[in-house]
Structure formats: structure tokens, C-alpha cells
Amino acid sequence: MLRVLTLSTLFPDVTRPNFGVFVERQTLGLAAHPDVDLKLVAPIGLPPGPLGRFRHYAPLAKLPRRETWKGLDVHRPRFTAIPFTQGRGHAAALERALVPVLDTLRETFAFDVIDASFFFPDGPAAVALGKRYGVPVSVKARGADIHHWGNAPATAAAVRAAGQGADGMLAVSAAMKADMVAMGLPTDRIRVHHTGVDHARFHPVDRAIAKAALGVAGPLVVSVGALIPRKRHDIVIDAVAALPGVTLLIAGEGPERAPLEAQIARHGISDRVRLLGAVPHTDLPQLIAAADVSALASSSEGLANAWVESLACGTPIVITDAGGAHEVVTSPDAGRVTIRDGLAFAAAIDTLLKDPPTVAATCATAAAFTWEANTTALYTHLAMLAANHASRG
């Protein structure tokens, strides 16, 4: 039995049900493996002292320190995350907070390997803890943890040191692996580990009925992603503004809401572009499957779950050449990869609306992305690290 300690600061809770749902699904899959015994530590970063003007952290502060989450035994220790420091000191604070938790946990659960599901601040803390407990460590790179934290002046050195110190690493795409190697991480320790998609939930539906339920008539484009600068929803809005009669529904919430609302108003398209806010992940399949095209103009990605979820619904995608785009759009049936420009997106969307691939052909392009394959690859990777470590010991 492989005893796995999964460490993730990117994991959902009752206050943030959409936060890190892909990490949750990966962890649930691994925990269900017949040869795995898994405990999850999902630390919560909070500012020091009274919350005061940081009252938005109050719901997180009230979360239980330990709970059962969808059958998983979850520990939620707190660590100090000082605002406005660009992440400086967060990894060290996380390590300090985890030592007493893992010291106690290890008395009854002698984990064989630490599985860190995000590179920062999880990675540096996991590598230090691996040394403390004498176990191998795996760290997974997903996107912003490399592209942002791996390049930010305050954290780049810690991210590189974590990668160089980890026994093994996972990358969500071959493109992500290349980015990791370019920043000095050892290529022979990095394995590409694609995401999965729940094909029982994300599948085609009757589009006409699904559109009617959304109050939409005519062509529909959806965009799924947080309202943050990196997702570049402004480009998709510009694109749809150039496509008369096309409706755009954007699922996500974030600090860019006000600028995007202003942009929609400037274009005079409030009647056909809607910001839906945060949509529960359980409701996404029906929304995506209703669309004729899914569009996301991200400036950076690892390999977006929204891409493969769209394909599984039979909805072709229009995306930028970010991260693993070409590992997902492998044929015209999957959609188009284009430049980050409103008119270019409009042209690509228009092409798919006028000459769409069949739903079955689009679905087929997502067939290789399964959670079963994700679990098998993750188990093999972690078991190998544990076996190699044991043979050296």
C-alpha cells in the first residue's frame, strides 16, 4: 500500500466550491486507487493579526481545522500570508505551520511520499518537509505557479530551488515542461501529466433545448475563466462585438468585472453579452454543451481544463497559442488556435459557426483525456519515486 500525503493550497472548501476543483478531482481519483492510502493537507493562508480591512478572509478563518471532504480526511492548518509582499516569505511560513501538523500525523500515518499539487508556495515547503521526514517529493506545475511565481522577483529563486530539489515533477503539458526546463529545472525528473475530464458529466446535449433554457436564440459563444487580466476576456468581447447576432456568456468572477462591464457598454452589446458570475462546476456541463463555440484568449495557461471539458461536450474551442494549446487542438475538429486579437478571434469563431465540425468529431478529440488515465499516471509516478527512494535507503 502506497501511503501518500497530498499537499495543496489549491483545494476547494465550503466558501470556495469552485477553487481548485481539478486538484480535488485528481486527488479523489488517486485516493480511490486500490493500492493507495491518502491523507490531504490543504493549508489556508491568512494575514497576521486581526483581519480588519482584510475581512474577506473571515470565511476562511472560520473553516474547520480538520474535516471529511467527499470522503477525504482533510487537514486545513493556517499559515501566515502577509499581503502586499508578492509572496515573499509565504513558503517558509507554510513550512513552519506544517511541521507540527505533520509531526503529529506521522505518528499514525507514516507517509511514503509527498505529493505537492502546486508549485508555489507548496513546492518549496514540500521539498523542505521531504528532507525532514526522509521521504521523496513530487511537485506539479499547472500554469501560474511557473509563469507567474517562477518569474516574479520575490519568488523565482524559491520556485527554481524547489524544482531542483524535488525527486520528481509533473507538468500539465509538454509546453509547460519546456518552460520548466528553460528556467533550469532538470528535464529527466519532469513527467507530462495531462488533466482528465469526467465524460459522464461533460457530454453533448440537445443544443436547441439547452440554449432555450439559457434564454438564447441564435449562435452562442461561451468563455469559462476567472475575470482576471490573464484570461483576456476583453479580446473575446471585442470579437463578439464584431459578430452581429452572436451571444456571449462569460462564466467567472474576479477583479476585472467593472472594466469588462464598461467595455460591453462601450460596444453597445449588453443585450447579447452577459457576465454570469461564478458558475458552480456542477452547472458548467450544461452551459458549455449549449454553446456552438467556446473561446478563451488567455495570455498564459498550462493546459486549461475548460478546453478539454468543452471538447468533451462537443463544443469546438478558439484559443491562443498558450501552454498546451497544440496538445489539445490537434485537428480542425477541435477548433482553432489563433493570435490574441479581437478580429482574429472573430474570424476563427465565424469560421466555426459557418462550417462547424460534427459534435461526434469534436468529442473524439477529448477521448484521451480521462481521469482514469490521470490516476494511473500519477500512481505510477509516485510509486516509482517511493520505490527508488527505498532502494537507495
Side-chain angles (χ1 to χ4, degrees):
M1 183 70 70
L2 181 66
R3 292 162 297 190
V4 178
L5 177 75
T6 293
L7 170 63
S8 180
T9 57
L10 194 66
F11 198 83
D13 55 64
V14 293
T15 73
R16 304 172 297 176
N18 283 1
F19 184 65
V21 290
F22 40 90
V23 175
E24 175 193 66
R25 184 61 185 81
Q26 175 176 296
T27 305
L28 288 170
L30 183 62
H33 192 285
D35 192 41
V36 168
D37 188 6
L38 184 146
K39 302 290 185 186
L40 174 68
V41 178
I44 304 293
L46 297 173
L51 293 179
R53 62 188 175 125
F54 303 112
R55 285 191 296 272
H56 56 284
Y57 284 97
L60 291 176
K62 295 176 182 177
L63 291 172
R65 300 246 173 193
R66 187 174 183 181
E67 65 176 317
T68 299
W69 180 271
K70 299 186 179 179
L72 295 174
D73 182 15
V74 182
H75 295 256
R76 298 189 188 273
R78 278 46 167 175
F79 71 100
T80 301
I82 302 176
F84 313 120
T85 59
Q86 292 76 52
R88 186 179 287 105
H90 288 190
L94 176 58
E95 179 192 346
R96 288 192 298 270
L98 289 177
V99 165
V101 176
L102 297 193
D103 279 355
T104 300
L105 181 60
R106 197 153 171 80
E107 292 175 3
T108 56
F109 184 69
F111 46 88
D112 302 305
V113 60
I114 297 175
D115 166 36
S117 67
F118 201 61
F119 235 96
F120 190 85
D122 311 35
V127 169
L129 293 165
K131 292 177 181 176
R132 176 182 178 87
Y133 300 111
V135 298
V137 172
S138 170
V139 185
K140 185 162 185 176
R142 296 182 178 275
D145 48 354
I146 292 296
H147 296 144
H148 175 70
W149 299 113
N151 289 290
T155 55
V159 170
R160 283 195 302 272
Q164 291 160 353
D167 299 271
M169 289 167 282
L170 296 169
V172 294
S173 65
M176 175 64 70
K177 177 176 178 176
D179 290 343
M180 294 163 73
V181 172
M183 64 187 288
L185 305 190
T187 186
D188 61 322
R189 279 187 252 158
I190 306 172
R191 174 179 184 152
V192 175
H193 186 225
H194 283 154
T195 189
V197 61
D198 187 344
H199 292 269
R201 292 182 55 236
F202 290 89
H203 57 76
V205 300
D206 185 307
R207 275 197 185 136
I209 294 175
K211 285 182 184 180
L214 294 168
V216 174
L220 172 62
V221 176
V222 299
S223 187
V224 178
L227 306 187
I228 55 178
R230 179 170 60 87
K231 294 297 183 180
R232 296 305 309 269
H233 289 296
D234 58 305
I235 290 176
V236 181
I237 291 171
D238 283 344
V240 171
L243 296 170
V246 175
T247 296
L248 170 63
L249 302 180
I250 301 176
E253 192 52 87
E256 290 291 291
R257 171 176 276 273
L260 294 176
E261 287 176 334
Q263 179 188 6
I264 293 166
R266 285 195 305 273
H267 280 304
I269 53 175
S270 300
D271 60 327
R272 57 190 183 92
V273 178
R274 283 187 262 157
L275 303 181
L276 302 178
V279 174
H281 196 257
T282 52
D283 295 341
L284 284 180
Q286 192 75 7
L287 173 66
I288 295 171
D292 300 284
V293 176
S294 178
L296 195 59
S298 309
S299 58
S300 70
E301 289 285 357
L303 192 151
N305 285 65
W307 298 346
V308 293
E309 289 170 347
S310 294
L311 299 182
C313 289
T315 302
I317 59 179
V318 175
I319 60 177
T320 56
D321 189 6
H326 289 287
E327 295 164 58
V328 175
V329 180
T330 55
S331 78
D333 292 328
R336 301 291 186 274
V337 177
T338 189
I339 61 173
R340 281 187 293 278
D341 173 81
L343 292 180
F345 258 71
I349 292 169
D350 192 48
T351 296
L352 289 171
L353 292 176
K354 289 178 176 175
D355 186 19
T358 67
V359 168
T362 298
C363 284
T365 65
F369 293 92
T370 69
W371 285 115
E372 292 77 14
N374 178 278
T375 294
T376 298
L378 180 57
Y379 170 77
T380 300
H381 170 74
L382 296 176
M384 180 190 69
L385 294 184
N388 290 345
H389 188 270
S391 68
R392 293 195 302 269

